[in-house]
Amino acid sequence: MALTAFLLPASDLAAQTKPIDWRTFTAETQAILANYLRINTTNPPGNEILAARFLKAILDREGIEARILDTTELGPNRANLYARLRGNGGKKAIALVHHMDVVPAVASYWTVDPFSGVVKDGYLWGRGALDMKGDGIMHLMSMIAIKRSGIPLTRDIVFIGNADEELGSTGAQVFVDRHADLLRNVEYLITEGSDNYLDANGNVVYFSVGVAEKRAFWQHVLVKGTPSHGSKPTKQNPVPRLIAALYKIAQYETPLHVTPGVDKFFRDISRTYPEPRHTWLSNIAAALGNPEAREWILNDVYWNAILRNTISLTGLTGSNKTNVIPPEASAEIDIRLLPDQDPDSVLALLKRIVADTAVHFTPLLTPKPPLESPTNTALFSAVERAVREREPKAFVTTPMETGATDRPIYRRLGIITYGLSGFKLPQVEIQRGVHGNDERVSPDNIAYGVRFFYDVLRYTQ
Ligand SMILES: [Zn+2]
């Protein structure tokens, strides 16, 4: 039998695969997701080992090699999970990565118990349904569907569950630091970092492939002075000096800059706009030179944020007593850089703008490595094909993520990483549920996502 299979051309091999009964497979998928949502992996403290054991048991049952990793390094009750479905090694592997932890849920704000995994009103409810246990189960079950149907693989499929994405990203960090060998032949990596966009009638306008993300470059700003009584003002009061510096920063307009993914994003969405907006968006760099177009474009807070480095003044501390001039005053600034920007030059520029050596900047975090993935790849084409087949009116585009994901950590190893979602959700569900309350997903949507990933994996072979 094995010999016959070996001699057959690929097209005949494909014909030998066993079809999946998607109706029963969907029911099985829903039950697995409900159980996954019942595992409380609120971070802190995480307790991801429970999730890792749960996933490993399923993988063991399917005969897919799986390992629980990094339990010592990540601390008590924490772990990463790694699994691999082997192909013939003809091409490099593709990895599906999700985080097993979830943000806290305040039960009193929820309609149901956030860890009940209950089905109600046509939805499966639970913290993590959208961010990102739902995706994790889409990844898992699409891989299992490939295994069960016996599709011949040229690329291994790697499945990873990480701890701690929602807090410190230690899960991905430790994984990349300790297991570069397990990722050595991985060419593509898929994780969160993009939302598909629906119109008011619930039709998909576009599917998103996240190819780039902003880099957080938060700063602590400090001015030291001499404490004294508020009744006798002095020149050594650090508060006005800090305010003067912050005012200059607030007045500063960061330059506009179009990165390749953002350029493509605007070109892609231009087709959904009437003139003159269609023309403006189809050449965003030119439009930014036109005052009318520029005003309209930058009025959109998301578009503004993907066209420039942004600076938000957020934290502020002076005296905690009205009649005391404090010894120091400080602020925190949320700076987000476009992927191709150099953090050191941006910091040097800020210092020049402030032009006061008494104002001290200290980075609150090291920026993650820059992330801007190419779109002329086998995986990107596979996504386009899978989308075309199920949503012929929709297109695939590349919005930039303004927040942060674990993608750049994997990018460090040279892996081409994408944000990809199998959800077909109205914006309102995403906004309410993700890090909010009443996070839920319809079972149909989970089934849709599993088949979407199943096709993407097949078409990338
Ligand atoms: Zn997430």
Side-chain angles (χ1 to χ4, degrees), residues 99 131 165-166 192:
H99 58 83
D131 181 16
E165 189 275 343
E166 297 289 7
E192 65 186 346

Side-chain angles (χ1 to χ4, degrees), residues 395-436:
F395 56 93
V396 177
T397 188
T398 53
M400 183 184 282
E401 171 66 44
T402 57
T405 71
D406 278 347
R407 287 178 298 177
I409 298 172
Y410 288 95
R411 179 68 196 141
R412 235 170 51 202
L413 299 177
I415 300 170
I416 296 174
T417 71
Y418 292 114
L420 189 64
S421 163
F423 289 113
K424 206 169 116 168
L425 286 169
Q427 209 55 35
V428 53
E429 287 284 332
I430 299 171
Q431 248 147 33
R432 189 191 46 236
V434 175
H435 292 210

Side-chain angles (χ1 to χ4, degrees), residues 102-415:
V102 296
V103 292
V106 183
S108 56
Y109 293 132
W110 282 57
T111 310
V112 303
D113 172 355
F115 296 98
S116 60
V118 71
V119 177
K120 183 171 159 288
D121 304 333
Y123 288 90
L124 176 54
W125 302 61
R127 172 57 90 216
L130 304 178
D131 181 16
M132 102 171 265
K133 286 177 170 168
D135 309 68
I137 295 304
M138 286 180 191
H139 296 170
L140 175 77
M141 296 309 282
S142 60
M143 179 170 77
I144 288 175
I146 296 242
K147 168 92 168 29
R148 286 191 194 167
S149 60
I151 292 171
L153 293 176
T154 54
R155 297 180 187 275
D156 292 3
I157 299 173
V158 172
F159 173 83
I160 294 170
N162 279 135
D164 195 39
E165 189 275 343
E166 297 289 7
L167 220 51
S169 282
T170 55
Q173 209 87 55
V174 167
F175 194 98
V176 166
D177 287 347
R178 298 193 67 230
H179 309 293
D181 54 322
L182 297 177
L183 296 164
R184 201 176 44 235
N185 80 334
V186 173
E187 181 171 17
Y188 301 117
L189 184 147
I190 291 174
T191 185
E192 65 186 346
S194 70
D195 291 326
N196 305 319
Y197 184 76
L198 275 55
D199 67 16
N201 302 319
N203 299 313
V204 183
V205 178
Y206 62 76
F207 260 74
S208 297
V209 180
V211 297
E213 72 182 48
K214 301 283 286 281
R215 303 161 75 193
F217 187 44
W218 299 348
Q219 297 290 322
H220 182 255
V221 187
L222 175 71
V223 177
K224 289 195 167 167
T226 309
S228 57
H229 201 283
S231 64
K232 292 189 279 300
T234 70
K235 293 265 190 269
Q236 284 74 48
N237 183 348
V239 175
R241 204 152 177 180
L242 175 70
I243 288 173
L246 295 179
Y247 183 71
K248 286 181 195 163
I249 294 171
Q251 292 299 101
Y252 173 64
E253 282 194 32
T254 55
L256 296 166
H257 174 69
V258 184
T259 58
V262 168
D263 187 43
K264 175 172 161 49
F265 168 68
F266 281 113
R267 229 178 319 116
D268 290 334
I269 64 167
S270 70
R271 73 191 78 185
T272 63
Y273 288 84
E275 290 298 348
R277 294 173 175 183
H278 169 78
T279 303
W280 292 346
L281 296 179
S282 55
N283 186 347
I284 193 76
L288 292 173
N290 165 349
E292 190 192 352
R294 177 189 162 106
E295 195 193 335
W296 174 68
I297 291 161
L298 299 184
N299 216 20
D300 182 297
V301 291
Y302 171 67
W303 291 357
N304 177 64
I306 62 177
L307 284 165
R308 63 196 335 162
N309 300 331
T310 56
I311 303 174
S312 290
L313 305 181
T314 51
L316 196 54
T317 315
S319 178
N320 57 6
K321 222 165 170 305
T322 312
N323 62 355
V324 171
I325 291 173
E328 59 180 53
S330 67
E332 290 191 0
I333 310 183
D334 181 355
I335 300 174
R336 307 270 172 160
L337 305 177
L338 291 170
D340 59 358
Q341 303 288 297
D342 172 42
D344 292 338
S345 325
V346 171
L347 186 55
L349 176 71
L350 275 189
K351 288 178 181 170
R352 276 203 304 280
I353 289 163
V354 166
D356 183 348
T357 51
V359 179
H360 302 283
F361 289 82
T362 315
L364 289 166
L365 44 77
T366 316
K368 288 180 182 174
L371 179 84
E372 175 103 43
S373 301
T375 56
N376 59 339
T377 63
L379 179 55
F380 199 92
S381 304
V383 171
E384 287 180 315
R385 179 174 162 196
V387 169
R388 203 161 49 233
E389 284 176 358
R390 51 187 35 79
E391 308 289 347
K393 292 207 179 100
F395 56 93
V396 177
T397 188
T398 53
M400 183 184 282
E401 171 66 44
T402 57
T405 71
D406 278 347
R407 287 178 298 177
I409 298 172
Y410 288 95
R411 179 68 196 141
R412 235 170 51 202
L413 299 177
I415 300 170

